Amino acid sequence: TFFTFMKKNNPFFLKMKKVLFARFQELILYFDSNGMGELLCLKNEKREVVAMSYYVFDGNSVIDFKGSATREGKKTGAVAVLHLKAFERYHSNFKFYDFYGANSSPRAHFNRKFGSQHVSYYQFTRIDYHRFIKKIIKKIWSI
């Protein structure tokens, strides 16, 4: 249900290649099977899901890993309500609530309304350079 909901309501997943989406599914299933995450959803009066998010547990933090909302959910503020429900559910178990990469201007403003504080994360990436460039880099590092 989560994966179908995400594909339907999150534009990020509409553009994603099938191979990457399969990896995303594997990751969520891994978290779930090892007790490292939980899915929360919010339903309207008709018992239809209007917002859904998967939360990952990492030591002292609960991370709002990936979620989405229907058009109705977006109009009615379901995402904010879902965050409040998550705060309520996790506040006694975790020290930090991580909005996971929410630095875009509108989301950062939304998160500050909850009293959040910006924390910078760094990501290391391996770049697969052309063989010629790799040789030059090795020579430079060996000097």
Side-chain angles (χ1 to χ4, degrees), residues 12-50:
F12 175 76
F13 289 104
L14 292 175
K15 297 179 267 181
M16 185 180 277
K17 294 179 182 177
K18 289 181 183 181
V19 174
L20 289 177
F21 190 74
R23 294 292 173 132
F24 171 73
Q25 288 175 306
E26 288 174 23
L27 185 62
I28 296 295
L29 294 172
Y30 172 81
F31 289 146
D32 211 47
S33 66
N34 288 291
M36 298 170 64
E38 183 176 41
L39 178 65
L40 296 182
C41 69
L42 191 67
K43 295 180 179 181
N44 63 13
E45 301 81 29
K46 300 175 194 169
R47 307 285 301 151
E48 300 165 330
V49 175
V50 293

Tab-separated table of all heavy atoms in Angstrom, residues 12-50:
chain	number	residue	atom	x	y	z
A	12	PHE	N	8.283	12.822	-7.099
A	12	PHE	CA	9.657	12.324	-7.121
A	12	PHE	C	9.708	10.890	-7.636
A	12	PHE	O	10.596	10.516	-8.392
A	12	PHE	CB	10.234	12.411	-5.697
A	12	PHE	CG	11.603	11.819	-5.543
A	12	PHE	CD1	12.716	12.491	-6.003
A	12	PHE	CD2	11.760	10.587	-4.931
A	12	PHE	CE1	13.980	11.945	-5.857
A	12	PHE	CE2	13.016	10.041	-4.775
A	12	PHE	CZ	14.136	10.723	-5.243
A	13	PHE	N	8.728	10.082	-7.255
A	13	PHE	CA	8.720	8.673	-7.638
A	13	PHE	C	8.200	8.446	-9.058
A	13	PHE	O	8.472	7.412	-9.646
A	13	PHE	CB	7.924	7.839	-6.636
A	13	PHE	CG	8.630	7.705	-5.328
A	13	PHE	CD1	8.219	8.434	-4.232
A	13	PHE	CD2	9.723	6.863	-5.196
A	13	PHE	CE1	8.889	8.320	-3.023
A	13	PHE	CE2	10.394	6.752	-4.007
A	13	PHE	CZ	9.982	7.483	-2.915
A	14	LEU	N	7.470	9.395	-9.592
A	14	LEU	CA	6.989	9.262	-10.967
A	14	LEU	C	8.144	9.290	-11.957
A	14	LEU	O	8.114	8.627	-12.988
A	14	LEU	CB	5.996	10.374	-11.300
A	14	LEU	CG	4.657	10.315	-10.577
A	14	LEU	CD1	3.828	11.547	-10.906
A	14	LEU	CD2	3.902	9.046	-10.937
A	15	LYS	N	9.194	10.063	-11.640
A	15	LYS	CA	10.351	10.199	-12.519
A	15	LYS	C	11.420	9.135	-12.255
A	15	LYS	O	12.337	8.992	-13.033
A	15	LYS	CB	10.974	11.586	-12.336
A	15	LYS	CG	10.062	12.729	-12.721
A	15	LYS	CD	10.740	14.056	-12.498
A	15	LYS	CE	10.392	14.563	-11.120
A	15	LYS	NZ	10.959	15.853	-10.795
A	16	MET	N	11.298	8.426	-11.153
A	16	MET	CA	12.331	7.480	-10.754
A	16	MET	C	12.343	6.239	-11.641
A	16	MET	O	11.299	5.706	-11.990
A	16	MET	CB	12.110	7.054	-9.295
A	16	MET	CG	13.199	6.171	-8.742
A	16	MET	SD	12.877	5.702	-7.021
A	16	MET	CE	13.516	7.147	-6.193
A	17	LYS	N	13.541	5.790	-11.979
A	17	LYS	CA	13.685	4.569	-12.770
A	17	LYS	C	13.224	3.373	-11.947
A	17	LYS	O	13.340	3.368	-10.723
A	17	LYS	CB	15.147	4.377	-13.174
A	17	LYS	CG	15.637	5.438	-14.129
A	17	LYS	CD	17.087	5.210	-14.482
A	17	LYS	CE	17.574	6.311	-15.412
A	17	LYS	NZ	18.998	6.157	-15.727
A	18	LYS	N	12.711	2.349	-12.635
A	18	LYS	CA	12.177	1.163	-11.963
A	18	LYS	C	13.220	0.492	-11.081
A	18	LYS	O	12.903	0.023	-9.997
A	18	LYS	CB	11.641	0.162	-12.989
A	18	LYS	CG	10.379	0.598	-13.652
A	18	LYS	CD	9.875	-0.428	-14.640
A	18	LYS	CE	8.634	0.071	-15.340
A	18	LYS	NZ	8.099	-0.900	-16.285
A	19	VAL	N	14.469	0.457	-11.541
A	19	VAL	CA	15.544	-0.175	-10.769
A	19	VAL	C	15.759	0.550	-9.442
A	19	VAL	O	15.889	-0.082	-8.392
A	19	VAL	CB	16.860	-0.199	-11.588
A	19	VAL	CG1	18.016	-0.699	-10.763
A	19	VAL	CG2	16.697	-1.020	-12.844
A	20	LEU	N	15.751	1.874	-9.480
A	20	LEU	CA	15.927	2.649	-8.250
A	20	LEU	C	14.734	2.502	-7.319
A	20	LEU	O	14.890	2.436	-6.098
A	20	LEU	CB	16.171	4.120	-8.576
A	20	LEU	CG	17.512	4.453	-9.195
A	20	LEU	CD1	17.604	5.933	-9.526
A	20	LEU	CD2	18.651	4.062	-8.275
A	21	PHE	N	13.536	2.466	-7.906
A	21	PHE	CA	12.350	2.285	-7.065
A	21	PHE	C	12.387	0.911	-6.388
A	21	PHE	O	12.016	0.779	-5.216
A	21	PHE	CB	11.061	2.445	-7.884
A	21	PHE	CG	9.837	2.510	-7.022
A	21	PHE	CD1	9.552	3.647	-6.296
A	21	PHE	CD2	8.977	1.423	-6.927
A	21	PHE	CE1	8.424	3.713	-5.483
A	21	PHE	CE2	7.850	1.479	-6.119
A	21	PHE	CZ	7.579	2.630	-5.398
A	22	ALA	N	12.855	-0.098	-7.102
A	22	ALA	CA	12.994	-1.438	-6.508
A	22	ALA	C	13.986	-1.398	-5.351
A	22	ALA	O	13.767	-2.041	-4.313
A	22	ALA	CB	13.438	-2.446	-7.558
A	23	ARG	N	15.061	-0.649	-5.484
A	23	ARG	CA	16.048	-0.497	-4.389
A	23	ARG	C	15.422	0.212	-3.194
A	23	ARG	O	15.681	-0.137	-2.047
A	23	ARG	CB	17.274	0.267	-4.872
A	23	ARG	CG	18.078	-0.444	-5.913
A	23	ARG	CD	18.743	-1.656	-5.304
A	23	ARG	NE	19.386	-2.431	-6.330
A	23	ARG	CZ	20.604	-2.884	-6.257
A	23	ARG	NH1	21.321	-2.681	-5.175
A	23	ARG	NH2	21.104	-3.584	-7.241
A	24	PHE	N	14.620	1.231	-3.480
A	24	PHE	CA	13.913	1.945	-2.419
A	24	PHE	C	13.006	0.969	-1.659
A	24	PHE	O	12.978	0.966	-0.431
A	24	PHE	CB	13.107	3.104	-3.008
A	24	PHE	CG	12.175	3.756	-2.033
A	24	PHE	CD1	12.666	4.568	-1.026
A	24	PHE	CD2	10.805	3.560	-2.112
A	24	PHE	CE1	11.810	5.166	-0.111
A	24	PHE	CE2	9.944	4.149	-1.216
A	24	PHE	CZ	10.453	4.954	-0.208
A	25	GLN	N	12.283	0.138	-2.396
A	25	GLN	CA	11.413	-0.856	-1.769
A	25	GLN	C	12.224	-1.809	-0.884
A	25	GLN	O	11.826	-2.101	0.245
A	25	GLN	CB	10.661	-1.657	-2.829
A	25	GLN	CG	9.578	-0.865	-3.521
A	25	GLN	CD	8.928	-1.646	-4.647
A	25	GLN	OE1	9.611	-2.140	-5.545
A	25	GLN	NE2	7.613	-1.744	-4.604
A	26	GLU	N	13.356	-2.282	-1.391
A	26	GLU	CA	14.217	-3.178	-0.619
A	26	GLU	C	14.670	-2.509	0.671
A	26	GLU	O	14.702	-3.148	1.731
A	26	GLU	CB	15.448	-3.580	-1.434
A	26	GLU	CG	15.167	-4.527	-2.566
A	26	GLU	CD	16.400	-4.789	-3.425
A	26	GLU	OE1	17.539	-4.602	-2.938
A	26	GLU	OE2	16.226	-5.154	-4.601
A	27	LEU	N	15.031	-1.247	0.586
A	27	LEU	CA	15.493	-0.507	1.754
A	27	LEU	C	14.400	-0.396	2.810
A	27	LEU	O	14.627	-0.684	3.992
A	27	LEU	CB	15.962	0.891	1.324
A	27	LEU	CG	16.591	1.771	2.380
A	27	LEU	CD1	17.865	1.137	2.934
A	27	LEU	CD2	16.887	3.140	1.802
A	28	ILE	N	13.202	-0.034	2.391
A	28	ILE	CA	12.084	0.082	3.331
A	28	ILE	C	11.766	-1.281	3.950
A	28	ILE	O	11.552	-1.393	5.166
A	28	ILE	CB	10.831	0.671	2.638
A	28	ILE	CG1	11.089	2.100	2.173
A	28	ILE	CG2	9.601	0.604	3.546
A	28	ILE	CD1	11.345	3.108	3.274
A	29	LEU	N	11.749	-2.332	3.137
A	29	LEU	CA	11.471	-3.674	3.650
A	29	LEU	C	12.557	-4.127	4.626
A	29	LEU	O	12.262	-4.795	5.622
A	29	LEU	CB	11.313	-4.666	2.500
A	29	LEU	CG	10.089	-4.429	1.610
A	29	LEU	CD1	10.123	-5.345	0.393
A	29	LEU	CD2	8.803	-4.608	2.397
A	30	TYR	N	13.797	-3.740	4.365
A	30	TYR	CA	14.899	-4.058	5.286
A	30	TYR	C	14.679	-3.358	6.631
A	30	TYR	O	14.772	-3.975	7.688
A	30	TYR	CB	16.246	-3.647	4.684
A	30	TYR	CG	17.384	-3.769	5.659
A	30	TYR	CD1	17.988	-5.006	5.888
A	30	TYR	CD2	17.847	-2.665	6.367
A	30	TYR	CE1	19.016	-5.138	6.799
A	30	TYR	CE2	18.877	-2.781	7.277
A	30	TYR	CZ	19.459	-4.015	7.493
A	30	TYR	OH	20.480	-4.127	8.409
A	31	PHE	N	14.402	-2.049	6.583
A	31	PHE	CA	14.136	-1.307	7.816
A	31	PHE	C	12.988	-1.951	8.583
A	31	PHE	O	13.068	-2.166	9.790
A	31	PHE	CB	13.773	0.153	7.520
A	31	PHE	CG	14.904	1.009	7.040
A	31	PHE	CD1	14.679	2.019	6.121
A	31	PHE	CD2	16.199	0.832	7.497
A	31	PHE	CE1	15.701	2.833	5.670
A	31	PHE	CE2	17.239	1.635	7.063
A	31	PHE	CZ	16.992	2.643	6.150
A	32	ASP	N	11.929	-2.269	7.873
A	32	ASP	CA	10.732	-2.813	8.494
A	32	ASP	C	10.985	-4.179	9.126
A	32	ASP	O	10.568	-4.440	10.256
A	32	ASP	CB	9.615	-2.900	7.454
A	32	ASP	CG	8.246	-2.718	8.060
A	32	ASP	OD1	8.082	-1.775	8.856
A	32	ASP	OD2	7.363	-3.521	7.754
A	33	SER	N	11.671	-5.048	8.410
A	33	SER	CA	11.904	-6.410	8.916
A	33	SER	C	12.877	-6.444	10.082
A	33	SER	O	12.902	-7.414	10.839
A	33	SER	CB	12.389	-7.329	7.794
A	33	SER	OG	13.658	-6.914	7.338
A	34	ASN	N	13.679	-5.382	10.249
A	34	ASN	CA	14.641	-5.327	11.346
A	34	ASN	C	14.208	-4.394	12.472
A	34	ASN	O	15.017	-4.046	13.341
A	34	ASN	CB	16.017	-4.908	10.814
A	34	ASN	CG	16.652	-6.017	10.011
A	34	ASN	OD1	17.033	-7.047	10.561
A	34	ASN	ND2	16.726	-5.837	8.704
A	35	GLY	N	12.949	-3.993	12.457
A	35	GLY	CA	12.420	-3.135	13.512
A	35	GLY	C	13.060	-1.756	13.537
A	35	GLY	O	13.105	-1.115	14.582
A	36	MET	N	13.542	-1.303	12.387
A	36	MET	CA	14.233	-0.019	12.306
A	36	MET	C	13.351	1.082	11.735
A	36	MET	O	13.837	2.169	11.438
A	36	MET	CB	15.489	-0.164	11.436
A	36	MET	CG	16.498	-1.134	11.993
A	36	MET	SD	17.822	-1.514	10.820
A	36	MET	CE	18.603	0.078	10.643
A	37	GLY	N	12.077	0.808	11.576
A	37	GLY	CA	11.196	1.815	11.015
A	37	GLY	C	9.745	1.468	11.202
A	37	GLY	O	9.398	0.366	11.640
A	38	GLU	N	8.905	2.450	10.870
A	38	GLU	CA	7.464	2.259	11.021
A	38	GLU	C	6.728	3.184	10.057
A	38	GLU	O	7.153	4.305	9.803
A	38	GLU	CB	7.071	2.592	12.456
A	38	GLU	CG	5.624	2.370	12.771
A	38	GLU	CD	5.317	2.623	14.234
A	38	GLU	OE1	5.838	3.595	14.812
A	38	GLU	OE2	4.538	1.831	14.781
A	39	LEU	N	5.625	2.710	9.555
A	39	LEU	CA	4.787	3.472	8.643
A	39	LEU	C	3.623	4.072	9.425
A	39	LEU	O	2.952	3.377	10.182
A	39	LEU	CB	4.250	2.538	7.543
A	39	LEU	CG	3.309	3.137	6.527
A	39	LEU	CD1	4.026	4.190	5.692
A	39	LEU	CD2	2.749	2.049	5.637
A	40	LEU	N	3.403	5.364	9.240
A	40	LEU	CA	2.258	6.037	9.839
A	40	LEU	C	1.423	6.640	8.722
A	40	LEU	O	1.967	7.118	7.721
A	40	LEU	CB	2.697	7.155	10.786
A	40	LEU	CG	3.482	6.763	12.030
A	40	LEU	CD1	3.780	8.002	12.869
A	40	LEU	CD2	2.730	5.742	12.862
A	41	CYS	N	0.113	6.620	8.910
A	41	CYS	CA	-0.757	7.244	7.907
A	41	CYS	C	-1.878	7.992	8.612
A	41	CYS	O	-2.167	7.763	9.779
A	41	CYS	CB	-1.308	6.220	6.931
A	41	CYS	SG	-2.474	5.066	7.613
A	42	LEU	N	-2.473	8.883	7.873
A	42	LEU	CA	-3.581	9.686	8.372
A	42	LEU	C	-4.746	9.508	7.414
A	42	LEU	O	-4.565	9.584	6.201
A	42	LEU	CB	-3.151	11.159	8.425
A	42	LEU	CG	-4.056	12.114	9.150
A	42	LEU	CD1	-4.075	11.796	10.646
A	42	LEU	CD2	-3.578	13.533	8.937
A	43	LYS	N	-5.930	9.249	7.970
A	43	LYS	CA	-7.121	9.032	7.148
A	43	LYS	C	-8.128	10.151	7.371
A	43	LYS	O	-8.173	10.753	8.440
A	43	LYS	CB	-7.769	7.688	7.506
A	43	LYS	CG	-6.896	6.498	7.184
A	43	LYS	CD	-7.569	5.197	7.555
A	43	LYS	CE	-6.682	4.011	7.196
A	43	LYS	NZ	-7.329	2.741	7.531
A	44	ASN	N	-8.949	10.389	6.354
A	44	ASN	CA	-10.014	11.385	6.469
A	44	ASN	C	-11.264	10.736	7.088
A	44	ASN	O	-11.236	9.571	7.491
A	44	ASN	CB	-10.307	12.043	5.112
A	44	ASN	CG	-10.816	11.053	4.075
A	44	ASN	OD1	-11.184	9.916	4.384
A	44	ASN	ND2	-10.841	11.482	2.822
A	45	GLU	N	-12.356	11.488	7.121
A	45	GLU	CA	-13.603	10.996	7.712
A	45	GLU	C	-14.164	9.785	6.970
A	45	GLU	O	-14.884	8.968	7.536
A	45	GLU	CB	-14.677	12.098	7.732
A	45	GLU	CG	-14.315	13.340	8.501
A	45	GLU	CD	-13.424	14.292	7.708
A	45	GLU	OE1	-13.495	14.338	6.462
A	45	GLU	OE2	-12.609	14.982	8.352
A	46	LYS	N	-13.849	9.674	5.687
A	46	LYS	CA	-14.323	8.545	4.874
A	46	LYS	C	-13.407	7.323	5.002
A	46	LYS	O	-13.584	6.352	4.283
A	46	LYS	CB	-14.404	8.958	3.405
A	46	LYS	CG	-15.331	10.098	3.124
A	46	LYS	CD	-15.226	10.502	1.669
A	46	LYS	CE	-15.868	11.838	1.436
A	46	LYS	NZ	-15.556	12.363	0.096
A	47	ARG	N	-12.415	7.414	5.904
A	47	ARG	CA	-11.437	6.333	6.148
A	47	ARG	C	-10.494	6.128	4.955
A	47	ARG	O	-9.925	5.068	4.773
A	47	ARG	CB	-12.118	5.012	6.514
A	47	ARG	CG	-13.112	5.083	7.655
A	47	ARG	CD	-12.533	5.190	9.035
A	47	ARG	NE	-11.661	4.060	9.345
A	47	ARG	CZ	-10.637	4.159	10.192
A	47	ARG	NH1	-10.371	5.281	10.782
A	47	ARG	NH2	-9.881	3.123	10.445
A	48	GLU	N	-10.298	7.189	4.124
A	48	GLU	CA	-9.366	7.141	3.007
A	48	GLU	C	-8.035	7.741	3.471
A	48	GLU	O	-8.019	8.771	4.159
A	48	GLU	CB	-9.885	7.959	1.823
A	48	GLU	CG	-11.216	7.479	1.290
A	48	GLU	CD	-11.885	8.490	0.379
A	48	GLU	OE1	-11.682	9.715	0.559
A	48	GLU	OE2	-12.619	8.043	-0.514
A	49	VAL	N	-6.930	7.130	3.094
A	49	VAL	CA	-5.609	7.632	3.476
A	49	VAL	C	-5.337	8.928	2.718
A	49	VAL	O	-5.448	8.984	1.501
A	49	VAL	CB	-4.511	6.590	3.172
A	49	VAL	CG1	-3.129	7.163	3.450
A	49	VAL	CG2	-4.729	5.322	3.968
A	50	VAL	N	-4.989	9.987	3.459
A	50	VAL	CA	-4.684	11.277	2.840
A	50	VAL	C	-3.225	11.678	3.016
A	50	VAL	O	-2.730	12.568	2.322
A	50	VAL	CB	-5.614	12.402	3.367
A	50	VAL	CG1	-7.048	12.165	2.905
A	50	VAL	CG2	-5.533	12.516	4.878
